[in-house]
């Protein structure tokens, strides 16, 4: 926290001094710009923490819904793409108590998302640049299974219900 205060104080001081000199019609414009940047920063932090799916919108919900398939034998397959800038979908809901296979797909992926980790299961996999990697998850009970790239920048989760 002290580092944030020390690094942010000069910026906030300059913004305050500039606003003090620009009283008038420009002040509301600067205030709106600061609020927009603060909102964008907050949303980015929530996405990074895995509380808001990256990409947003109906497309993300549709991708998450189509990521889970159950075959005739009752085996559940959860498919997640490892892209250079994260996992798609990053948030998935699947059935608990069902034999489950996680399929990780890549296509020309060169980023650090190739180093895939499931911390609670001590799973660390280096994915190929292009291809498919299967991970047998057994029959997970109800709960959330978090995953992340090795650097921790791109989190995701599978919630079993």
């Amino acid at each position: 926290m002290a580092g944030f205060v020390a690094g942010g104080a000069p910026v906030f001081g300059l913004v305050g001094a500039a606003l003090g000199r620009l009283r008038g019609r420009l002040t509301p414009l600067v205030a709106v710009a600061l609020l927009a940047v603060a909102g964008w920063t907050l949303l980015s932090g929530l996405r990074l923490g895995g509380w808001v799916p990256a990409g947003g919108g109906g497309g993300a919900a549709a991708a998450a819904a189509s990521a889970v398939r159950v075959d005739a034998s009752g085996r559940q397959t959860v498919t997640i793409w490892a892209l250079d800038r994260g996992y798609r979908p990053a948030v998935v809901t699947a059935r608990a108590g069902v034999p489950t296979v996680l399929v990780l797909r890549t296509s020309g992926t060169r980023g650090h998302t190739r180093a895939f980790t499931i911390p609670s299961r001590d799973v660390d996999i280096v994915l190929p640049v292009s291809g498919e990697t299967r991970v047998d998850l057994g029959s997970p009970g109800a709960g959330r299974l978090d995953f992340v790239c090795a650097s921790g920048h791109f989190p995701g989760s599978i919630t079993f219900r």
Side-chain angles (χ1 to χ4, degrees):
M1 250 350 235
F4 172 76
V5 171
V11 173
F12 291 122
L14 288 173
V15 169
L19 284 177
R21 292 178 184 214
L22 297 175
R23 295 205 189 263
R25 294 193 313 178
L26 198 55
T27 301
L29 180 64
V30 173
V32 168
L34 283 173
L35 287 174
V37 169
W40 175 72
T41 303
L42 177 64
L43 184 60
S44 296
L46 291 173
R47 283 185 178 149
L48 183 62
W51 294 293
V52 174
S66 69
V68 181
R69 299 273 186 235
V70 179
D71 65 18
S73 70
R75 180 172 288 276
Q76 177 172 238
T77 302
V78 177
T79 303
I80 296 175
W81 284 87
L83 308 172
D84 286 335
R85 297 197 174 262
Y87 299 103
R88 297 296 177 268
V91 178
V92 179
T93 301
R95 290 180 41 208
V98 176
T100 303
V101 173
L102 174 61
V103 177
L104 301 163
R105 291 190 175 154
T106 53
S107 180
T109 304
R110 303 230 178 251
H112 49 95
T113 55
R114 288 184 46 223
F116 184 84
T117 301
I118 303 174
S120 65
R121 293 192 174 209
D122 290 329
V123 172
D124 294 306
I125 303 168
V126 176
L127 304 173
V129 172
S130 294
E132 182 176 290
T133 303
R134 299 171 87 69
V135 179
D136 187 355
L137 297 178
S139 297
R144 186 169 131 171
L145 182 66
D146 294 322
F147 58 85
V148 67
C149 67
S151 69
H153 288 113
F154 297 109
S157 65
I158 304 169
T159 301
F160 292 95
R161 294 185 184 173

